[in-house]
Amino acid sequence: MGMCHFTSGRYGYQPYLPRNYQDLRDVPQDLLFQMLQEEERRRFSDEFLRRCDDCKDPGFYAYVNTVEQMQMEVVESFGFTTDEEKLKAANAMRVAAALYPQEQ
């Protein structure tokens, strides 16, 4: 049985794209790649690793919430302001590998 987790970008061994994936292409590809680079930089920062260590709730979901918060901070830093814009940009980051498989 394969995994189905939105942030993995895959369903089983196939790329996963949500039903509204065409809307995610509204985020310009070059901007999306810049956001992914910033997310990667932040994931390995001492500050983020400390935030993960400081999660009050033990377990997987505390970590997922910390990652989601960091992703929202990334998209805000790139000028996405409304909740709808931020969610769309964050979701585009989460499925970028499936949106642009030729760029892997």
Side-chain angles (χ1 to χ4, degrees), residues 8-60:
S8 70
R10 295 193 167 283
Y11 177 78
Y13 296 99
Q14 301 301 315
Y16 169 77
L17 287 170
R19 276 181 240 141
N20 66 340
Y21 81 93
Q22 290 297 342
D23 293 344
L24 301 179
R25 291 187 189 269
D26 291 345
V27 178
Q29 183 178 352
D30 60 331
L31 181 61
L32 175 60
F33 289 170
Q34 289 174 33
M35 290 190 304
L36 289 169
Q37 289 173 334
E38 177 61 17
E39 179 190 21
E40 185 78 1
R41 185 192 70 73
R42 290 184 189 204
R43 277 184 188 262
F44 290 102
S45 71
D46 289 338
E47 177 191 350
F48 179 73
L49 295 174
R50 195 169 20 264
R51 284 168 61 182
C52 291
D53 286 342
D54 292 344
C55 289
K56 300 291 183 211
D57 300 319
F60 177 74

Side-chain angles (χ1 to χ4, degrees), residues 58-69:
F60 177 74
Y61 290 105
Y63 173 74
V64 168
N65 291 337
T66 303
V67 170
E68 181 180 27
Q69 182 182 17

